[in-house]
Amino acid sequence: MLRQAIGGQRGAVILGAFLLALHQATEALIPVLIGVMIDETELSSLLSWLGVLAGVYVVLSFSYRFGGRIAEGSAERAAHDLRLRVVRRVLHAGGGAEDGRLPGALTTIATEDVRRAGAVNLVVAVAAAGLSGLAVGTVVLLNTSLPLGLLVLLGTPALAWLGHLLAKPLERRSSTEQERAAHASGVAADLVAGLRVLKGIGAEQAAVERYRRTSRDSLAATMRAARAQALQNGLVLALTGLFVALVAYIGARLAQEGTISLGQLVSSVGLALFLMGPLHLLAWVNSELAQARASAARVAEVLAAPPAVAPGSTPAPSPVQGSVRLRGVRLGGLDGLDLEVRPGELLGVVAPDPAAASALLHCLGRSADPLGGVVELDGVDLTGVDPAALREAILVAAHDADLFEGTVLENLGAHTPAALAASGADEVIDSLPEGGQSLVGERGNSLSGGQRQRVALARALAADRPVLVLHEPTTAVDAVTEARIAAGLREARPGRTTILVTTSPALLAAADRVVLVDGGRVAADATHAELVHESDTYRTAVLA
Amino acid sequence: MSAPERHLLPVATPARTRSAVRELVRPHRRLAVYGFGVMVVATATGLATQPLLGWVIDLVAAGEGALLPPIALLVVVALAAGALTALGLAKVAQLGETVLAELREHFVARALTLPLEQVERAGSGDLTARVTADVSRVADAVRSALPELARSALTIVLTLGALALVDWRFFVAALIAVPVQVLTARWYVRHAVPLYAAQRTAAGAQQQQLLETIGGAPTVRAFLRHDEHLGRVENRSLAAVELTMRGLRLAMGFYSRLHIAEYAGLAAVLITGFLLVRNGQASIGEATAAALYFHSLFGPVNTALALLDDAQSATAALARLVGVTDLPLPAPAAHVEPSGEAAVEVRGLGHAYVTGRPVLHDVDLVVAGGERVALVGASGAGKTTLAKLIAGLHTPTGGKVAARGVGMVTQEVHVFAGPLAEDLRLAGPDATDDELRRALSLVGALDWAQALPDGLATVVGEGGHRLTPAQRQQLALARLILADPEVAVLDEATAEAGSAGARVLERAIDRASDGRTTLVVAHRLTQAASADRIVVMDGGRVVETGTHAELLTAGGRYAALWRAWSDGRS
């Protein structure tokens, strides 16, 4: 996965790594040049060294500027590509990527995890930079003096390792502290989200108290983390100071023996301090790589998720007559269901067991395949048909289908006055300030529940599929409108097959025929009026 | 759509934000003085390193052998600076975290007591964004940006001071870098602040789109809107990437300009050192100390300047928090007791959410103690508005509402994240476990509640165990029982559960409202039929009142509704 992320941007990664490496190399030269110039006794040569320093600065500045830009840019583009792949996988007609993952968790994968996985491009470039800084510093030091070089060479990694060792328990702790802190902000957002509920029962003060407790817990936790962090910072500072003292001492002894010059002593002290920089970079690379690996694993898991239904190769029947047939279907609440829907029929299905209703909807929309038995459209077994092609023929409009941000008309997809009238969405449009051009907000939030449901129904009707399956389309609609919808459904679907999975008597009364699914099979098959008279189960299910 | 009607919650002025910070810090000023004092001493101690190194150089240059004193002092300085820094950082963090906790508690306390109409006018996203994004932005600043900034600023000031102590001419030479740095910082902040604000907006829009597309994936698949949604995600993602790249170009340009300042200052300090040493006005050790001082300034200067925009955006976030905490508490609505036997008394009530578009006109309604009244009408008739006004969730724009203690179950069913028992205790903070179980059992929820993985301790709501819509509504009714109001207002509590679960819920409603004066916004007409009295609303007015039988006989609007309803069930 990470290799793929780099592979897509190989040129940019190599160029970025080269430039950032160049930047670190020039950074390493600055303390060296300072040492050289401190030692200088001739003004003219000092000035030419300043010229050299200027040249180094030009290279340093440009390599950093463009190296950083190129490396970070490649990380961003890699994340963008991964993000689109994740979304494409989630939306894939075969489904299956969402199984066992909440939308929020998947969204985090499509934002945070792809960012971390993509950042591997930057990490590689920074690793090159760190190694280059380390190499230049080492070469200069070893050239100056073998013992001093070795001291710095061995001492700095030891120091970095000590710092890492000190940071380790802290990192573990800080992640739990962060969770606590996030919990406090989560609780606050949750209370605000439930503001109306709180006010309805006058529970504001209790909620304030509850938040205060959470906040205090979180404060105690963050204080512990902050103290540990402060201690670690102090220790690292002290260790670095002791190391500098050691380098200064050894360097001064060497200078006294005449092994190195004064300028070289200054350079060595400067380099000892500078080398902490590349080492920190490498430590950062290490921890980022671990995170990138974990994130990439999560992304890969989504991309590789098995589809919920197998892809098929049989073409969907064309033109679709609209006869639907289920034989011995077993899944969830269905236990050998046999059902035949004639072309053009308006069929009501009453399933008091919600599991049976949802299994039926899954089979018809191919979001799941039956464990046993066959579902056919015009005699073609659905499991052989590509799910996307099938959905051109059959539309299953879920009870809780989402609306999307945009105008009412954009949500409908097609402007069909007949669909608007039949669903009662025409009244919704009339009541909105800008009619069909009104924005519905995220997930249709700015509409009321009843308005949302009518627009969703209009969308299902406007899609005009040969077979339409509607699940409880009127639960949030008032009785008058529901009666109007029931009366208009047939007209909105002339000659087309419509299956109503509902317990609403108003809708069932409008159906040509109603089947009662009980115990996973069809228990009764008649008109609504007949069933009301004949079946106790039906009466209980439909008439409250 | 309602964009022109948006009235975002207020934002504090910069002056008020500063004084709010002073007010927050004032109770802890001893801690503040102590913490910052220690930091100053710690930084100053650390700055002794360079002159000590200079001393070593001078000793070597003079050919003297006694290296021990400066080296020993270097060791002492290292240990003291480390210890003092640890102490100072801990104290500063204690101050920051305590103040932060108090700020967020004030904010949440104020946010939860805001009048609902104010929150709704602003859009619920406004308050949510402040309570999440703004609080965490301020927290990040308190935890990382501000201490870093303070430490860097302290290091810069003290280093420049130390440079002046070595020789004032080094200080003057170092100042050459300052104009470039000041200009660069101003240029950067001017461009960075709006750019980063745009970046956050783009990131939010992308997040929103992903949530919508991923959460709505089944719908996208069913309606074959795959390409459209992929396109939307791609556009938002590209916009975010583009803004990030612009931010990057800006930051990289910023560092380039700072490199110019670094070079100019370093060259000036080195030339000054050379001239002073040549004229015998400074030792080579002093020149070294000066050069090392200046070189050690690069890090803190870059850090401080780069953090300016973090500090700026945290200040903006803080201003949005203070804007809310400063809102005056609404005058406690003079609680009017209804006259006589009545539990609810409504006179000449009118209401408009948007000026000029009234949704209720001149409504009169008196509900007697213990009476059960059903509100009936088509969507948009004003039922919910009347219910909310009676429950005191909104303040009417005209007329009068008087009611004894009211509790309302609203259409929004929210499950509070956390253990189930904690959710219930919001309504009855002192309720015992037995009382919780009794409330759950009354609404028929005890069986499933006890069957949850950890029983009543099971974490529910966002991120926890998911409850079905019917279970959420039972929970809302159990809360009502625990809150135990005299008057219960119930708004469409069965609507979303689907007809199958409706009966179970209707029984729960009966139990929850048992012994209370009850006002039901009836969705299913069966709820109305069993009420003591039915109030029919249309176009924001009460058009009929009476019992089920009376209204059927009257042959008006209710009778027509009932026919439409019962036709389907003949």
Side-chain angles (χ1 to χ4, degrees):
Chain A
M1 172 100 282
L2 292 178
R3 255 194 299 278
Q4 277 181 16
I6 298 172
Q9 311 281 333
R10 190 176 297 125
V13 175
I14 292 173
L15 187 57
F18 171 73
L19 288 172
L20 287 182
L22 194 58
H23 166 248
Q24 275 295 312
T26 46
E27 286 275 11
L29 290 179
I30 305 282
V32 177
L33 286 170
I34 291 177
V36 169
M37 284 184 273
I38 288 284
D39 234 3
E40 204 48 71
T41 47
E42 287 296 319
L43 181 60
S44 59
S45 44
L46 174 72
L47 290 179
S48 36
W49 278 119
L50 281 176
V52 173
L53 184 65
V56 169
Y57 254 106
V58 168
V59 176
L60 177 152
S61 184
F62 275 83
S63 59
Y64 184 59
R65 185 172 188 169
F66 292 99
R69 204 193 274 184
I70 291 168
E72 291 234 31
S74 71
E76 284 288 326
R77 277 190 300 276
H80 171 78
D81 291 344
L82 276 178
R83 181 172 303 129
L84 290 189
R85 283 179 62 191
V86 168
V87 174
R88 201 171 286 136
R89 173 62 197 93
V90 169
L91 295 183
H92 187 271
E98 308 112 288
D99 293 350
R101 295 182 185 89
L102 295 175
L106 268 173
T107 302
T108 308
I109 290 176
T111 50
E112 286 306 300
D113 285 322
V114 302
R115 187 181 58 73
R116 289 225 183 88
V120 73
N121 286 350
L122 177 63
V123 170
V124 166
V126 171
L131 290 173
S132 141
L134 212 55
V136 173
T138 308
V139 168
V140 172
L141 273 168
L142 288 175
N143 263 330
T144 309
S145 139
L146 192 63
L148 198 57
L150 284 177
L151 171 67
V152 173
L153 200 58
L154 299 175
T156 34
L159 211 55
W161 179 74
L162 263 175
H164 178 66
L165 219 61
L166 289 169
K168 200 113 201 209
L170 184 77
E171 271 167 24
R172 265 199 306 275
R173 193 189 277 200
S174 93
S175 74
T176 45
E177 309 303 1
Q178 270 167 11
E179 272 165 36
R180 288 273 195 102
H183 182 59
S185 103
V187 167
D190 187 54
L191 291 173
V192 167
L195 194 59
R196 289 181 190 81
V197 175
L198 289 175
K199 290 194 179 288
I201 51 171
E204 296 101 315
Q205 277 317 314
V208 168
E209 273 312 307
R210 179 169 173 186
Y211 181 70
R212 206 185 301 278
R213 281 198 304 276
T214 310
S215 165
R216 290 288 132 176
D217 283 353
S218 148
L219 174 62
T222 42
M223 295 266 260
R224 278 195 298 278
R227 272 197 294 274
Q229 172 89 53
L231 187 63
Q232 192 226 353
N233 281 349
L235 277 169
V236 168
L237 201 65
L239 284 173
T240 311
L242 291 176
F243 181 62
V244 167
L246 183 63
V247 172
Y249 178 68
I250 307 262
R253 294 296 298 270
L254 289 171
Q256 280 176 335
E257 292 163 11
T259 320
I260 61 172
S261 71
L262 261 188
Q264 284 171 326
L265 171 58
V266 174
S267 301
S268 303
V269 172
L271 274 175
L273 285 172
F274 163 79
L275 282 179
M276 301 304 290
L279 284 168
H280 276 153
L281 287 184
L282 291 176
W284 179 83
V285 163
N286 197 28
S287 80
E288 281 295 301
L289 267 186
Q291 289 193 345
R293 265 195 296 272
S295 288
R298 282 191 283 271
V299 173
E301 207 181 304
V302 172
L303 293 181
V309 293
S313 49
T314 325
S318 169
V320 180
Q321 303 299 317
S323 93
V324 178
R325 193 157 157 219
L326 291 87
R327 279 179 301 164
V329 170
R330 283 191 301 113
L331 178 71
L334 301 181
D335 184 20
L337 178 78
D338 292 308
L339 177 64
E340 201 157 343
V341 192
R342 290 181 281 274
E345 194 176 18
L346 179 56
L347 176 77
V349 177
V350 175
D353 174 13
S358 87
L360 177 63
L361 296 164
H362 281 313
C363 290
L364 290 172
R366 267 211 92 195
S367 45
D369 282 331
L371 297 173
V374 187
V375 184
E376 291 173 351
L377 172 66
D378 294 349
V380 178
D381 182 353
L382 294 191
T383 49
V385 183
D386 174 60
L390 177 66
R391 287 175 197 134
E392 303 265 9
I394 302 183
L395 170 62
V396 176
H399 169 57
D400 56 356
D402 291 289
L403 294 187
F404 298 112
E405 204 170 3
T407 67
V408 174
L409 291 178
E410 280 166 6
N411 266 286
L412 292 178
H415 184 64
T416 325
L420 287 177
S423 59
D426 50 354
E427 286 176 3
V428 175
I429 287 179
D430 289 342
S431 72
L432 292 172
E434 283 158 57
Q437 300 302 332
S438 303
L439 295 168
V440 301
E442 9 178 293
R443 307 192 115 189
N445 272 344
S446 64
L447 302 180
S448 77
Q451 289 175 326
R452 263 203 302 278
Q453 209 173 31
R454 282 184 270 175
V455 173
L457 177 57
R459 176 177 62 183
L461 293 173
D464 199 27
R465 300 279 193 271
V467 177
L468 174 63
V469 185
L470 293 169
H471 183 216
E472 295 290 11
T474 55
T475 44
V477 175
D478 64 89
V480 188
T481 312
E482 188 182 31
R484 217 189 104 191
I485 291 171
L489 263 185
R490 185 183 307 278
E491 236 169 286
R493 305 268 311 151
R496 304 206 140 205
T497 309
T498 310
I499 303 173
L500 280 164
V501 181
T502 181
T503 52
S504 154
L507 295 179
L508 291 168
D512 296 323
R513 179 167 66 104
V514 178
V515 295
L516 171 66
V517 177
D518 195 24
R521 295 158 186 256
V522 172
D525 180 345
T527 66
H528 172 65
E530 288 162 357
L531 286 173
V532 166
H533 286 290
E534 288 159 17
S535 164
D536 282 340
T537 324
Y538 187 78
R539 265 197 304 279
T540 338
V542 170
L543 305 175
Chain B
M1 42 167 309
S2 57
E5 295 296 336
R6 282 273 163 94
H7 295 283
L8 292 182
L9 296 165
V11 175
T13 62
R16 173 58 202 142
T17 307
R18 279 193 296 275
S19 74
V21 171
R22 276 197 297 276
E23 283 164 26
L24 281 165
V25 174
R26 193 168 300 136
H28 309 287
R29 56 179 176 271
R30 286 182 56 179
L31 180 61
V33 170
Y34 179 41
F36 282 104
V38 173
M39 282 310 295
V40 169
V41 177
T43 311
T45 310
L47 288 175
T49 305
Q50 286 88 341
L52 287 172
L53 287 172
W55 187 3
V56 172
I57 303 268
D58 278 343
L59 288 176
V60 173
E64 290 175 30
L67 288 173
L68 194 61
I71 296 291
L73 279 174
L74 274 174
V75 170
V76 171
V77 160
L79 294 175
L84 286 166
T85 303
L87 178 63
L89 283 178
K91 289 296 157 194
V92 169
Q94 184 185 348
L95 173 73
E97 293 291 343
T98 310
V99 167
L100 179 68
E102 283 167 8
L103 173 70
R104 68 182 176 225
E105 286 160 23
H106 281 171
F107 178 80
V108 169
R110 194 67 203 87
L112 293 181
T113 46
L114 282 179
L116 207 49
E117 46 257 320
Q118 198 163 9
V119 177
E120 283 172 354
R121 264 204 309 278
S124 62
D126 189 14
L127 193 57
T128 307
R130 290 183 198 220
V131 86
T132 52
D134 286 335
V135 168
S136 77
R137 202 163 295 139
V138 173
D140 282 349
V142 166
R143 275 177 207 139
S144 58
L146 288 181
E148 278 286 294
L149 195 60
R151 228 175 129 188
S152 302
L154 214 53
T155 309
I156 294 165
V157 170
L158 293 178
T159 305
L160 286 175
L163 208 52
L165 276 183
V166 175
D167 191 305
W168 63 271
R169 280 160 290 203
F170 285 124
F171 175 71
V172 173
L175 286 185
I176 285 187
V178 172
V180 184
Q181 284 163 340
V182 169
L183 285 176
T184 303
R186 288 176 56 174
W187 167 83
Y188 178 61
V189 167
R190 198 169 55 240
H191 289 85
V193 169
L195 183 59
Y196 291 153
Q199 254 180 40
R200 280 192 295 272
T201 313
Q206 175 190 294
Q207 170 96 359
Q208 188 56 52
Q209 185 60 52
L210 284 168
L211 264 177
E212 187 172 90
T213 295
I214 291 174
T219 310
V220 173
R221 280 196 288 267
F223 286 90
L224 300 170
R225 302 227 175 148
H226 172 274
D227 293 336
E228 179 195 330
H229 274 262
L230 209 55
R232 286 185 183 200
V233 169
E234 183 166 13
N235 286 340
R236 300 248 165 129
S237 174
L238 279 178
V241 169
E242 170 56 27
L243 281 167
T244 308
M245 291 308 293
R246 271 175 56 194
L248 211 58
R249 278 197 288 276
L250 185 71
M252 293 293 152
F254 169 69
Y255 285 117
S256 272
R257 288 169 195 224
L258 288 184
H259 285 143
I260 299 173
E262 273 178 23
Y263 175 73
L266 188 56
V269 168
L270 284 168
I271 291 175
T272 310
F274 174 84
L275 294 174
L276 290 176
V277 171
R278 194 173 65 174
N279 300 338
Q281 287 164 311
S283 72
I284 189 159
E286 284 166 339
T288 305
L292 289 180
Y293 268 144
F294 194 79
H295 188 233
S296 73
L297 272 179
F298 295 179
V301 166
N302 290 357
T303 307
L305 295 181
L307 284 173
L308 279 181
D309 65 288
D310 277 2
Q312 192 126 352
S313 85
T315 313
L318 186 62
R320 282 191 289 271
L321 297 184
V322 174
V324 171
T325 45
D326 272 0
L327 280 173
L329 278 167
H335 187 77
V336 203
E337 281 289 320
S339 47
E341 292 291 288
V344 176
E345 189 179 356
V346 171
R347 298 279 176 215
L349 193 65
H351 192 65
Y353 291 104
V354 178
T355 317
R357 292 183 63 180
V359 290
L360 274 191
H361 309 270
D362 198 26
V363 173
D364 289 308
L365 177 66
V366 177
V367 184
E371 194 184 10
R372 186 183 173 85
V373 172
L375 290 176
V376 172
S379 312
K383 306 179 300 263
T384 295
T385 303
L386 178 58
K388 281 185 174 169
L389 291 176
I390 290 174
L393 291 191
H394 286 294
T395 314
T397 45
K400 153 190 148 174
V401 176
R404 299 202 198 126
V406 188
M408 176 168 182
V409 175
T410 57
Q411 284 182 38
E412 296 84 9
V413 270
H414 182 84
V415 176
F416 292 95
L420 181 66
E422 289 287 299
D423 177 300
L424 292 170
R425 284 208 173 91
L426 283 171
D430 305 320
T432 62
D433 285 354
D434 281 340
E435 285 167 323
L436 299 187
R437 275 193 285 272
R438 187 185 146 268
L440 286 172
S441 125
L442 274 174
V443 296
L446 189 58
D447 287 344
W448 62 255
Q450 284 182 330
L452 291 174
D454 298 314
L456 296 194
T458 307
V459 173
V460 292
E462 187 84 36
H465 190 91
R466 282 162 71 90
L467 301 181
T468 67
Q471 289 174 335
R472 292 163 191 227
Q473 286 175 334
Q474 284 173 319
L475 209 52
L477 291 166
R479 277 190 221 113
L480 183 76
I481 292 173
L482 288 163
D484 196 21
E486 273 191 69
V487 180
V489 178
L490 305 164
D491 186 9
E492 302 207 22
T494 65
E496 285 288 346
S499 313
R503 271 170 297 118
V504 179
L505 279 171
E506 273 171 32
R507 272 201 299 278
I509 287 175
D510 286 343
R511 300 254 184 79
S513 57
D514 191 30
R516 304 178 210 285
T517 308
T518 308
L519 194 73
V520 186
V521 176
H523 175 65
R524 293 171 70 86
L525 288 187
T526 44
Q527 280 179 299
S530 64
D532 297 330
R533 189 151 54 102
I534 296 164
V535 173
V536 184
M537 299 190 64
D538 189 41
R541 295 174 201 280
V542 172
V543 290
E544 288 174 25
T545 37
T547 64
H548 179 66
E550 285 165 9
L551 291 181
L552 282 191
T553 326
R557 225 173 271 262
Y558 180 79
L561 273 175
W562 183 257
R563 264 202 309 284
W565 173 258
S566 52
D567 264 355
R569 22 191 78 213
S570 55

